[in-house]
Each structure stands twice: as C-alpha cells, then as structure tokens.
Amino acid sequence: MLRAILLLLSIAVLQATENQSCLKCHGMANLSEQTGPGRKQHSYHVALSGFEHSNHHSLRCSDCHVQGYSQYPHAEAKTIPDCLGCHQDNSEFLDGSEERTLLLRDMKKMKTEFEQSVHHSALKDSFTCVHCHNPHRFVDQRGKNLSFEERIEWSNAVCLNCHNSEKQINELKTKEYVYRTPEEIHAWLPSAKMHWKKVRCVDCHADFSGMEHNKEERFSHKINPKEKAVRNCNQCHSKESILTTRIYQMNMRKALEEEGLIKAFLWNNSYVIGATRNRWLDIFTLMLLVSGVGGIAIHAYARYYVYRKNRKEKNNGE
Amino acid sequence: MENKHSSLGESHLDRYLYPLWLRTWHWLNAGLFLLLIASGVSMHFSSLEKPLIPFEAARLLHNISGILLTINYAWFVVANFVSGNYRQYVPVFKNIFARLFLQARFYLYGIFRGEDHPFHISLKQKFNPLQQIAYMIVIYYFIPFVIGSGILLFFPELAPENFLGFSGITPVAIFHISIGYMLTFFMVVHVYLATHGETITEHFHGMITGYHSGHIETHPQNKDESSKEGKP
C-alpha cells in the first residue's frame, strides 16, 4: 500500500516537475512566432489554469509531445502530437470501462466524418482535432448535468472559438476565405441570437445522413461546406423537423427521463414554431371549430328551410 | 361625420351608426385577422412537403400584419375613447342573464318562428346583450392578450427564461395560439351572426356605408342603462 502511494506520489511529482519546466516558457502569454506559409503568427502559450482543469491534466507534456522537445530550441523534426495515438483500442491510457469504449467508438466514427468535412477538404493536414478541441483546456462535458442551453453553449463555443475571431481564422484560412463575423453571415436569419441559444451550429452546418436511427447523443463531425448549410426554415420548422433527429431528440429523451411522459409531450420544453405543437390544444380547437361550423351549417339550413316554407305558404296564400 | 349628415334629417342621423373611423378600423381589422390566421396556421402546421405559405413568407406576413393590427388597435382605443364609443362595449349587468337568455332564445328558437329581434339597434345601443359580452371579451381582453403575447414572440429574448419550470417561450406561445384559436372561432361566429339582420346582407351593408338600413329604435326603451349616457 505504502509502495503504491509512494509510486503515485513520485509520478505526480515527476509530472509536475516536467510540466513546470515546459511552462517556464509556454506559460508566457506572448510566446509566439511567425511561421509557416505566409508567416502567420502562431501562439505557443499554454494557460496553466486551463490545463489544470482539462481532461488531460494528469498527463505529462511529453506524453503527447514525444520526440524533439527535450532540448531548446526544439528540433525541427519533432513529432506532431497525434490524438488517435491515445484514443485507440490498444492505448495504454484506456482502462476498458464503458465510457472509454464509447469514447473509442466515437473516435473512429469522428475520424471518418472529419475526413469528409469541409475543414479537412479545405485545409488538409493543417487542420486537426486540436484546432477545435484544444487539448490544453478540453473538458468533456458529456455525462455532466448541464441544462439544454448550457449544452448548446458548450457545443457552439467550439465553433465560435475560431469563427468569432478573425485572428484565429487568419492563422488557418485559405486564400479564398474572406472572414465575416457569424452575425454578418447570419444576417438573413431572423432572431439569430435566439437560434444560437436553442440550436447547435452543427445542427444546420453538419451532415447527419445515415444517423437517423442513432439513439446516442447526436453529433456529426462531417461539417458541410456553407452551400449545404440548412437555409430552408421548414426543414426545422415543420412536423418533419430535422431537429427531432438532432439535438432535440436528445432533449426530448432527457425530458422523458427526468420529467415524465405527460410534461414532455404536453408542453415540449423547447418551443419550435411548426415543430412542437400541443396536440391536445389542436384537437380541442379542431373539435370546437368543427362543431361550431357544423352548428352554423345546421342553423343556416334551418333558417333557409323556414324561409322557403314561409315563402311557399305566402305564395299559396296569394 | 355626424355633422356632415345633419342636413339629411333626424332619421338619417339616427341611422348613421358606424362612423368612418370605426368602419376603417373594422375592415382593416378583418383583413388583418384573415392574413394573421392564414399565416399563423401556415406556420403552426408548417410542412416541408406542402406548406400552405412558405415559412419565411408566412413569418414576414404574420409579423407585418401583427404590427399593423397593433397600430390599428391603438388607433381604435384612442378613437373609441374620444368618440365615447367605448360605452357600447360596457355590458349592463342588470338582468344580464334574463337578457342573454332572451337573445339566445331568439337565435335558437324565435328566429325560426318569425319572431321580432328582442333588442333593436339604436344609435345609443348598437349591440344586443350577447354581442356586448362577446365584444367586450374580444376587444378588451383577447386582442390585447394576443398582441402582448405576439410582442413577446416577436422579441423572444423578452420572454421569461423560465416559467413554472418550462422554457419561458413555451407558455407564451401556447397562450398566443390559444387566443388566436378563440379569435378565429369568434370570427367564424361573428360573420355568421352578421347575416342575422332583417335581410342577410343588412349588417354587411351597414358596416360598409355606415347606415343601418333595417328597423331602428329612435327612442330606445331603457333596456340598458348605458343609453342614458351621452352621444356615442
């Protein structure tokens, strides 16, 4: 027992010592250089506060930055950290738990999707997992008890981290790409900010084909080119709403689990015009209208009948 | 308007029940109701395959019609107050049930027996007791409610974040739709009851020209205390 504790303590001390050594330079906020084609400014800063709270906080820098980092300046031929080096079946980091297995299954699917995404087709190998999921501060929020809006905010923050920042985009963009803010791009969308609070970017900008029957949390890494983004309001605002197979499927399942059938179906916690309807209200109104119009038809016919009868009697009298 | 027609004689003046501002408001309101119902139904029962009106167009139509309806209603409230017409919408509760019964009995029975209308139209009392109650609810409750909830849906960020554990927009939307349904039902019944003049078109004609062509009480009985009030 004592040996195990000592071993763990020494690993922690070694990790802390090594990471501190790296952070002596990489902890500086202004550590950056102009590099690559176009001499774009690239930051090498790693915020300790973010790293300490990330999913990777227990790792040593050298677990990912394997070769070419031990001396300064770092070697030109240093290895590029590879996420799938760990996130794969035979990784020494995986403990075989259910959560890990799910993570692995997701990773394989994500890789295939990502390779079909506009990010990959436009930027090839210069765009990797880390551009969206900064490993120095990435926190997996799945399984956490977040509200619906918090889940959406967390998901959209991944996209907005770059798309809200011209500086970030300029680090990656191709020559053809002209930066516009999300507000400018979505000027056509009514109540754009309201939409962003209620749907994820990927719900309109990713390809979910073939995922209709997937009961797991809905996400696709196959980000479409802008021409393929959802622009037809009816695609979401209709009974056949695509949202019911995307984020709102998860929302409804969560509501069913936590709030019960009646509340979930009667009220639909999130209102989407055209997609979420109160069936009972519609049925009641339809019955009211049908009985009202039916009553009017009977009344009108009775009036007509009496009118004809009276006219006949009047004619006969004359 | 009344002064303009004073030269036509007392009987013409007595028959001029619906001044121009009222008729303009009424028909504009009716037209906007139809547009709001069509666009509202189209959005609520929106379909990808067969939309009644494409969603984007329906939304625009609903918003513009809703804004115009709000302006029209604000105009009505001011003109209604200034002209004193608001008194027409204040029901007299004295013997209300007996008078409501009389009116309902006429619609359900008397009309088929050739009986006379129990309450005749006059300059000071244009509505029968059923109309008074229904119009008061519609004009002073339903329309402001549907406008208020419509404004909240127009600016969804103004809606409460959370209402009794539900997302704030949901109860507002359900309330808006419920009132919209009731106003639709009212409109159907209203149009039908408008055929209950001495001729089928009498009331429609009156609301176009301003003049009531059927029987009129120039000296109405004190069926209604509101008739003691000043000129409408």
Side-chain angles (χ1 to χ4, degrees):
Chain A
M1 181 68 183
L2 185 63
R3 279 185 183 181
I5 291 170
L6 282 172
L7 184 65
L8 282 172
L9 273 173
S10 8
I11 290 170
V13 169
L14 274 173
Q15 186 227 6
T17 312
E18 181 193 306
N19 289 357
Q20 274 173 10
S21 169
C22 297
L23 287 168
K24 270 182 191 170
C25 294
H26 289 280
M28 293 191 292
N30 57 355
L31 185 72
S32 63
E33 76 169 332
Q34 288 185 330
T35 182
R39 310 288 294 164
K40 289 169 185 168
Q41 197 75 16
H42 187 84
S43 172
Y44 296 116
H45 171 234
V46 176
L48 180 62
S49 56
F51 181 71
E52 282 179 337
H53 293 98
S54 76
N55 283 67
H56 296 136
H57 70 277
S58 59
L59 300 181
R60 290 176 300 175
C61 301
S62 60
D63 287 335
C64 297
H65 304 275
V66 184
Q67 283 180 355
Y69 297 91
S70 55
Q71 74 279 7
Y72 183 82
H74 299 318
E76 283 293 320
K78 55 189 176 289
T79 54
I80 306 294
D82 177 18
C83 302
L84 293 179
C86 294
H87 294 277
Q88 61 179 318
D89 286 318
N90 57 358
S91 169
E92 59 184 290
F93 294 95
L94 301 177
D95 58 10
S97 70
E98 195 180 328
E99 190 184 345
R100 295 289 193 186
T101 312
L102 180 66
L103 188 65
L104 275 176
R105 189 164 61 236
D106 283 351
M107 284 293 169
K108 285 177 180 170
K109 183 167 68 72
M110 281 175 202
K111 187 171 184 289
T112 314
E113 288 168 2
F114 171 69
E115 284 168 355
Q116 297 172 320
S117 76
V118 67
H119 287 139
H120 184 70
S121 60
L123 299 161
K124 304 292 179 221
D125 291 340
S126 62
F127 191 93
T128 63
C129 309
V130 300
H131 289 96
C132 294
H133 310 289
N134 187 329
H136 298 129
R137 58 169 187 261
F138 183 75
V139 181
D140 186 4
Q141 302 283 7
R142 294 178 310 170
K144 295 196 175 175
N145 194 23
L146 297 183
S147 70
F148 181 64
E149 282 77 11
E150 283 169 337
R151 277 171 178 273
I152 287 170
E153 192 181 351
W154 171 64
S155 172
N156 289 351
V158 174
C159 307
L160 292 172
N161 186 42
C162 284
H163 287 278
N164 238 352
S165 161
E166 189 169 4
K167 183 172 166 281
Q168 293 274 57
I169 292 287
N170 282 342
E171 281 187 15
L172 281 165
K173 72 171 186 178
T174 54
K175 280 180 187 169
E176 302 80 43
Y177 194 94
V178 178
Y179 178 77
R180 288 194 298 155
T181 63
E183 285 82 2
E184 287 168 342
I185 294 167
H186 294 89
W188 65 275
L189 180 67
S191 302
K193 287 192 175 161
M194 194 70 188
H195 276 93
W196 297 340
K197 278 168 74 177
K198 299 291 179 184
V199 283
R200 301 171 303 178
C201 305
V202 289
D203 287 321
C204 294
H205 290 278
D207 187 340
F208 284 76
S209 55
M211 296 175 68
E212 286 77 9
H213 306 293
N214 187 348
K215 300 292 178 200
E216 299 301 334
E217 186 172 333
R218 312 310 309 275
F219 196 91
S220 171
H221 277 73
K222 190 178 170 185
I223 310 298
N224 277 327
K226 64 180 179 186
E227 297 77 24
K228 284 190 177 177
V230 172
R231 263 193 90 123
N232 181 351
C233 307
N234 282 105
Q235 280 185 271
C236 294
H237 292 282
S238 65
K239 197 179 173 186
E240 310 90 344
S241 175
I242 56 171
L243 291 176
T244 56
T245 62
R246 300 185 182 186
I247 183 75
Y248 283 77
Q249 184 194 57
M250 181 185 74
N251 191 36
M252 178 57 94
R253 196 172 66 244
K254 195 165 173 277
L256 274 169
E257 285 165 5
E258 293 175 4
E259 297 160 359
L261 185 78
I262 293 174
K263 192 171 170 186
F265 276 102
L266 273 184
W267 292 97
N268 281 322
N269 203 23
S270 291
Y271 179 73
V272 182
I273 304 169
T276 49
R277 299 172 199 157
N278 189 307
R279 270 184 77 224
W280 303 113
L281 181 64
D282 291 343
I283 290 169
F284 172 76
T285 309
L286 187 67
M287 284 167 62
L288 189 72
L289 272 174
V290 167
S291 53
V293 172
I296 285 172
I298 293 167
H299 194 270
Y301 179 75
R303 277 170 73 195
Y304 178 66
Y305 178 79
V306 170
Y307 166 77
R308 276 187 62 188
K309 193 180 154 200
N310 289 345
R311 203 170 66 167
K312 214 174 189 179
E313 282 172 6
K314 197 178 167 187
N315 289 341
N316 288 342
E318 283 172 359
Chain B
M1 268 322 258
E2 282 88 347
N3 291 338
K4 188 182 167 187
H5 291 276
S6 60
S7 61
L8 296 172
E10 188 63 24
S11 62
H12 269 77
L13 192 66
D14 283 345
R15 287 185 177 281
Y16 191 63
L17 300 186
Y18 314 110
L20 185 62
W21 73 262
L22 189 69
R23 283 177 281 143
T24 314
W25 165 77
H26 175 269
W27 289 116
L28 201 53
N29 209 42
L32 292 170
F33 256 51
L34 290 176
L35 293 177
L36 285 162
I37 290 168
S39 53
V41 164
S42 183
M43 283 193 290
H44 185 64
F45 295 100
S46 172
S47 166
L48 190 57
E49 303 292 320
K50 295 174 186 169
L52 178 65
I53 305 170
F55 192 89
E56 225 165 327
R59 178 196 147 266
L60 192 65
L61 185 61
H62 204 77
N63 285 349
I64 292 172
S65 305
I67 291 166
L68 290 177
L69 185 93
T70 307
I71 296 168
N72 199 34
Y73 183 72
W75 156 243
F76 170 82
V77 169
V78 173
N80 200 39
F81 182 76
V82 171
S83 67
N85 190 61
Y86 70 91
R87 293 189 191 95
Q88 299 286 341
Y89 297 92
V90 181
V92 176
F93 290 103
K94 190 178 173 187
N95 294 329
I96 185 75
F97 291 111
R99 288 183 298 117
L100 284 173
F101 176 77
L102 264 181
Q103 189 61 42
R105 182 191 170 280
F106 170 74
Y107 285 139
L108 297 173
Y109 178 75
I111 195 169
F112 302 116
R113 305 278 299 170
E115 289 178 8
D116 196 13
H117 284 258
F119 301 95
H120 284 293
I121 290 174
S122 75
L123 193 58
K124 292 177 180 175
Q125 190 56 67
K126 299 176 197 173
F127 304 144
N128 66 47
L130 272 176
Q131 285 174 317
Q132 276 182 357
I133 297 282
Y135 292 174
M136 183 193 70
I137 293 171
V138 166
I139 299 289
Y140 292 121
Y141 293 93
F142 282 5
I143 294 185
F145 285 167
V146 87
I147 287 174
S149 52
I151 289 170
L152 280 179
L153 292 173
F154 193 74
F155 300 105
E157 53 275 19
L158 295 180
E161 279 284 314
N162 190 293
F163 182 81
L164 301 177
F166 301 108
S167 163
I169 208 78
T170 307
V172 177
I174 287 177
F175 182 72
H176 187 75
I177 292 164
S178 304
I179 302 284
Y181 277 150
M182 283 189 268
L183 285 170
T184 307
F185 186 72
F186 163 80
M187 196 170 183
V188 171
V189 175
H190 177 68
V191 171
Y192 179 63
L193 290 182
T195 66
H196 282 66
E198 285 170 32
T199 64
I200 286 178
T201 56
E202 180 194 301
H203 291 321
F204 295 99
H205 183 264
M207 195 43 92
I208 293 168
T209 63
Y211 289 92
H212 178 67
S213 56
H215 182 83
I216 196 154
E217 289 280 347
T218 48
H219 301 289
Q221 297 162 358
N222 272 349
K223 288 170 182 171
D224 192 327
E225 287 186 359
S226 68
S227 60
K228 291 174 189 169
E229 304 283 348
K231 72 172 188 176

Coordinates of all heavy atoms in Angstrom, one line a residue, chain A residues 140-184:
Chain A
D140 N -14.4 17.4 -21.4 CA -15.6 16.7 -21.9 C -16.8 16.9 -21.0 O -16.7 16.5 -19.9 CB -15.2 15.2 -22.0 CG -16.3 14.4 -22.7 OD1 -17.3 15.0 -23.2 OD2 -16.2 13.1 -22.8
Q141 N -17.8 17.5 -21.6 CA -19.0 17.8 -20.7 C -20.1 16.7 -20.8 O -21.1 16.8 -20.1 CB -19.6 19.1 -21.2 CG -18.7 20.3 -21.2 CD -18.4 20.9 -19.8 OE1 -18.9 20.3 -18.8 NE2 -17.7 22.0 -19.7
R142 N -19.8 15.7 -21.6 CA -20.8 14.6 -21.7 C -21.0 14.0 -20.3 O -20.0 13.8 -19.6 CB -20.5 13.6 -22.8 CG -20.5 14.2 -24.1 CD -20.1 13.2 -25.2 NE -18.8 12.5 -24.8 CZ -18.4 11.4 -25.4 NH1 -19.1 10.9 -26.4 NH2 -17.2 10.9 -25.0
G143 N -22.2 13.6 -20.0 CA -22.5 13.0 -18.8 C -22.6 14.0 -17.6 O -23.0 13.6 -16.5
K144 N -22.3 15.2 -17.9 CA -22.4 16.2 -16.8 C -23.9 16.7 -16.8 O -24.5 16.7 -17.9 CB -21.4 17.4 -17.0 CG -20.0 16.9 -16.8 CD -19.1 18.0 -16.6 CE -17.7 17.5 -16.3 NZ -16.7 18.5 -16.2
N145 N -24.3 17.2 -15.7 CA -25.7 17.6 -15.6 C -25.9 19.0 -16.1 O -26.2 19.9 -15.3 CB -26.2 17.4 -14.2 CG -27.7 17.5 -14.1 OD1 -28.4 17.2 -15.1 ND2 -28.2 17.9 -12.9
L146 N -25.7 19.2 -17.4 CA -25.9 20.5 -17.9 C -27.3 20.8 -18.4 O -28.0 19.8 -18.8 CB -25.0 20.7 -19.2 CG -23.5 20.6 -18.9 CD1 -22.7 20.9 -20.2 CD2 -23.0 21.6 -17.9
S147 N -27.8 22.0 -18.4 CA -29.1 22.3 -18.9 C -29.0 22.3 -20.4 O -27.9 22.3 -21.0 CB -29.5 23.7 -18.5 OG -28.7 24.7 -19.1
F148 N -30.1 22.3 -21.1 CA -30.2 22.2 -22.5 C -29.4 23.4 -23.1 O -28.6 23.2 -24.0 CB -31.7 22.3 -22.9 CG -31.9 22.2 -24.4 CD1 -31.5 21.0 -25.1 CD2 -32.4 23.2 -25.1 CE1 -31.7 20.9 -26.5 CE2 -32.6 23.1 -26.5 CZ -32.3 22.0 -27.2
E149 N -29.6 24.6 -22.6 CA -29.0 25.8 -23.1 C -27.4 25.7 -22.9 O -26.7 26.1 -23.7 CB -29.5 27.0 -22.5 CG -30.9 27.5 -23.1 CD -32.0 26.7 -22.6 OE1 -31.8 25.9 -21.6 OE2 -33.1 26.8 -23.1
E150 N -27.1 25.2 -21.7 CA -25.6 25.0 -21.4 C -24.9 24.1 -22.4 O -23.8 24.3 -22.8 CB -25.4 24.6 -20.0 CG -25.7 25.7 -19.0 CD -25.7 25.2 -17.5 OE1 -26.0 24.0 -17.3 OE2 -25.5 26.0 -16.6
R151 N -25.6 23.0 -22.7 CA -25.1 22.0 -23.7 C -24.9 22.7 -25.0 O -23.8 22.5 -25.7 CB -26.1 20.9 -23.9 CG -26.0 19.8 -22.9 CD -27.1 18.8 -23.0 NE -27.0 17.8 -22.0 CZ -26.3 16.7 -22.2 NH1 -25.6 16.5 -23.3 NH2 -26.1 15.8 -21.2
I152 N -25.8 23.5 -25.4 CA -25.7 24.2 -26.7 C -24.6 25.2 -26.7 O -23.8 25.3 -27.6 CB -27.1 24.8 -27.1 CG1 -28.0 23.7 -27.5 CG2 -26.9 25.8 -28.2 CD1 -29.4 24.1 -27.7
E153 N -24.5 25.9 -25.6 CA -23.5 26.9 -25.5 C -22.1 26.3 -25.5 O -21.2 26.7 -26.2 CB -23.6 27.7 -24.1 CG -22.8 28.9 -24.0 CD -22.9 29.6 -22.7 OE1 -23.8 29.3 -21.9 OE2 -22.1 30.5 -22.5
W154 N -22.0 25.1 -24.8 CA -20.7 24.4 -24.8 C -20.3 23.9 -26.2 O -19.2 24.1 -26.7 CB -20.8 23.2 -23.9 CG -19.6 22.3 -23.9 CD1 -18.3 22.5 -23.6 CD2 -19.7 20.9 -24.4 NE1 -17.5 21.5 -23.8 CE2 -18.3 20.4 -24.3 CE3 -20.7 20.0 -24.8 CZ2 -18.0 19.1 -24.6 CZ3 -20.3 18.7 -25.2 CH2 -19.0 18.3 -25.1
S155 N -21.3 23.4 -26.9 CA -21.1 22.8 -28.3 C -20.7 24.0 -29.2 O -19.8 23.9 -30.0 CB -22.3 22.1 -28.8 OG -22.2 21.8 -30.1
N156 N -21.5 25.1 -29.2 CA -21.2 26.2 -30.1 C -19.9 26.9 -29.8 O -19.3 27.5 -30.7 CB -22.4 27.2 -30.1 CG -23.6 26.6 -30.7 OD1 -23.6 25.5 -31.3 ND2 -24.8 27.2 -30.6
A157 N -19.5 26.9 -28.5 CA -18.3 27.6 -28.2 C -17.1 27.0 -29.0 O -16.1 27.7 -29.3 CB -18.0 27.5 -26.7
V158 N -17.2 25.7 -29.3 CA -16.1 25.0 -30.0 C -16.0 25.7 -31.4 O -14.8 25.9 -31.9 CB -16.4 23.5 -30.2 CG1 -15.4 22.8 -31.1 CG2 -16.4 22.8 -28.8
C159 N -17.1 26.0 -32.0 CA -17.1 26.6 -33.4 C -16.7 28.1 -33.3 O -15.9 28.6 -34.0 CB -18.4 26.5 -34.1 SG -19.0 24.8 -34.1
L160 N -17.4 28.7 -32.3 CA -17.2 30.2 -32.2 C -15.8 30.6 -31.7 O -15.4 31.7 -31.9 CB -18.2 30.8 -31.2 CG -19.7 30.7 -31.8 CD1 -20.7 31.1 -30.7 CD2 -19.8 31.6 -33.0
N161 N -15.1 29.7 -31.1 CA -13.7 30.0 -30.6 C -12.9 30.5 -31.8 O -12.1 31.4 -31.6 CB -13.1 28.7 -30.0 CG -11.8 28.9 -29.4 OD1 -11.6 30.0 -28.8 ND2 -10.8 28.0 -29.6
C162 N -13.1 29.9 -33.0 CA -12.4 30.3 -34.2 C -13.3 31.3 -35.0 O -12.8 32.4 -35.4 CB -12.0 29.2 -35.1 SG -10.6 28.2 -34.5
H163 N -14.5 30.9 -35.2 CA -15.3 31.7 -36.1 C -15.7 33.1 -35.6 O -16.3 33.9 -36.3 CB -16.6 30.9 -36.6 CG -16.2 29.8 -37.5 ND1 -16.0 30.1 -38.9 CD2 -15.9 28.5 -37.4 CE1 -15.7 28.9 -39.5 NE2 -15.6 28.0 -38.6
N164 N -15.5 33.3 -34.3 CA -15.8 34.6 -33.7 C -14.5 35.5 -33.7 O -14.6 36.6 -33.2 CB -16.3 34.4 -32.3 CG -17.7 35.0 -32.1 OD1 -18.2 35.7 -33.0 ND2 -18.3 34.8 -31.0
S165 N -13.4 34.9 -34.2 CA -12.2 35.6 -34.0 C -11.4 35.6 -35.4 O -11.0 34.6 -35.9 CB -11.3 34.8 -33.0 OG -9.9 35.2 -33.1
E166 N -11.3 36.8 -35.9 CA -10.6 37.0 -37.2 C -9.2 36.5 -37.1 O -8.6 36.0 -38.0 CB -10.7 38.4 -37.6 CG -10.2 38.6 -39.1 CD -10.5 40.0 -39.6 OE1 -11.1 40.8 -38.9 OE2 -10.3 40.2 -40.8
K167 N -8.6 36.8 -35.9 CA -7.2 36.4 -35.7 C -7.0 34.9 -35.8 O -6.1 34.4 -36.4 CB -6.8 36.9 -34.3 CG -5.4 36.7 -33.9 CD -5.0 37.4 -32.6 CE -3.7 36.9 -32.0 NZ -3.8 35.7 -31.3
Q168 N -7.9 34.2 -35.1 CA -7.8 32.7 -35.1 C -8.0 32.2 -36.5 O -7.3 31.3 -37.0 CB -8.9 32.1 -34.2 CG -8.8 32.4 -32.8 CD -7.9 31.3 -32.1 OE1 -6.7 31.2 -32.6 NE2 -8.3 30.7 -31.1
I169 N -9.0 32.8 -37.3 CA -9.3 32.3 -38.6 C -8.1 32.6 -39.5 O -7.7 31.8 -40.3 CB -10.5 33.0 -39.2 CG1 -11.8 32.5 -38.4 CG2 -10.7 32.8 -40.7 CD1 -12.2 31.1 -38.8
N170 N -7.5 33.8 -39.3 CA -6.3 34.2 -40.2 C -5.1 33.2 -40.0 O -4.3 33.1 -40.9 CB -5.9 35.6 -39.8 CG -6.8 36.6 -40.5 OD1 -7.5 36.2 -41.4 ND2 -6.8 37.8 -40.0
E171 N -5.1 32.6 -38.9 CA -4.0 31.6 -38.7 C -4.1 30.4 -39.6 O -3.2 29.7 -39.9 CB -4.0 31.1 -37.2 CG -3.3 32.2 -36.3 CD -3.2 31.6 -34.8 OE1 -3.3 30.4 -34.7 OE2 -2.9 32.5 -33.9
L172 N -5.4 30.1 -40.0 CA -5.6 28.9 -40.7 C -6.1 29.1 -42.2 O -6.0 28.2 -43.0 CB -6.7 28.1 -40.0 CG -6.3 27.3 -38.8 CD1 -7.5 26.9 -38.0 CD2 -5.5 26.1 -39.3
K173 N -6.8 30.2 -42.4 CA -7.6 30.4 -43.6 C -6.9 30.2 -44.9 O -5.7 30.4 -45.0 CB -8.3 31.7 -43.6 CG -7.4 32.9 -43.9 CD -8.2 34.2 -44.1 CE -7.2 35.3 -44.5 NZ -7.9 36.5 -44.8
T174 N -7.6 29.8 -45.9 CA -7.1 29.6 -47.2 C -7.2 31.0 -47.9 O -7.9 31.9 -47.4 CB -7.9 28.6 -48.1 OG1 -9.3 29.0 -48.0 CG2 -7.7 27.2 -47.5
K175 N -6.6 31.2 -49.1 CA -6.6 32.5 -49.7 C -8.0 32.9 -50.1 O -8.3 34.1 -50.1 CB -5.7 32.4 -51.0 CG -4.3 32.5 -50.8 CD -3.5 32.4 -52.1 CE -2.0 32.4 -51.8 NZ -1.2 32.0 -52.9
E176 N -8.9 31.9 -50.4 CA -10.2 32.2 -50.9 C -11.1 32.7 -49.8 O -12.2 33.3 -50.0 CB -10.9 31.0 -51.6 CG -10.1 30.4 -52.7 CD -8.9 29.5 -52.3 OE1 -9.1 28.7 -51.4 OE2 -7.8 29.6 -52.9
Y177 N -10.8 32.3 -48.6 CA -11.7 32.6 -47.4 C -11.6 34.0 -47.0 O -10.6 34.6 -46.7 CB -11.3 31.7 -46.2 CG -12.3 31.6 -45.2 CD1 -13.3 30.6 -45.2 CD2 -12.4 32.5 -44.2 CE1 -14.2 30.5 -44.2 CE2 -13.3 32.5 -43.2 CZ -14.3 31.5 -43.2 OH -15.2 31.4 -42.2
V178 N -12.8 34.6 -47.0 CA -12.9 36.0 -46.6 C -13.7 36.0 -45.2 O -14.8 35.5 -45.2 CB -13.7 36.9 -47.6 CG1 -13.9 38.3 -47.1 CG2 -13.0 36.9 -49.0
Y179 N -13.0 36.5 -44.2 CA -13.6 36.4 -42.9 C -14.8 37.3 -42.7 O -14.8 38.5 -43.1 CB -12.6 36.8 -41.8 CG -13.2 36.7 -40.4 CD1 -13.4 35.5 -39.8 CD2 -13.6 37.9 -39.8 CE1 -14.0 35.4 -38.5 CE2 -14.2 37.8 -38.5 CZ -14.4 36.6 -37.9 OH -15.0 36.5 -36.7
R180 N -15.9 36.8 -42.2 CA -17.0 37.6 -41.9 C -17.5 37.0 -40.5 O -17.4 35.9 -40.2 CB -18.2 37.4 -42.9 CG -17.9 38.1 -44.2 CD -19.2 38.2 -45.0 NE -19.7 36.9 -45.4 CZ -21.0 36.6 -45.7 NH1 -21.8 37.6 -45.6 NH2 -21.4 35.4 -46.0
T181 N -18.0 38.0 -39.7 CA -18.4 37.5 -38.3 C -19.7 36.7 -38.5 O -20.4 36.8 -39.5 CB -18.8 38.7 -37.5 OG1 -19.9 39.4 -38.1 CG2 -17.6 39.7 -37.3
P182 N -20.0 35.8 -37.5 CA -21.2 35.0 -37.5 C -22.4 35.9 -37.7 O -23.4 35.5 -38.3 CB -21.2 34.3 -36.2 CG -19.7 34.2 -35.8 CD -19.1 35.5 -36.3
E183 N -22.4 37.1 -37.1 CA -23.6 38.0 -37.2 C -23.8 38.4 -38.6 O -24.9 38.4 -39.1 CB -23.4 39.2 -36.3 CG -23.6 39.0 -34.8 CD -22.3 38.4 -34.1 OE1 -21.3 38.2 -34.8 OE2 -22.4 38.1 -32.9
E184 N -22.7 38.7 -39.3 CA -22.8 39.1 -40.7 C -23.2 38.0 -41.6 O -24.1 38.1 -42.4 CB -21.4 39.6 -41.2 CG -21.0 41.0 -40.7 CD -19.5 41.3 -40.9 OE1 -18.7 40.4 -41.2 OE2 -19.2 42.5 -40.8

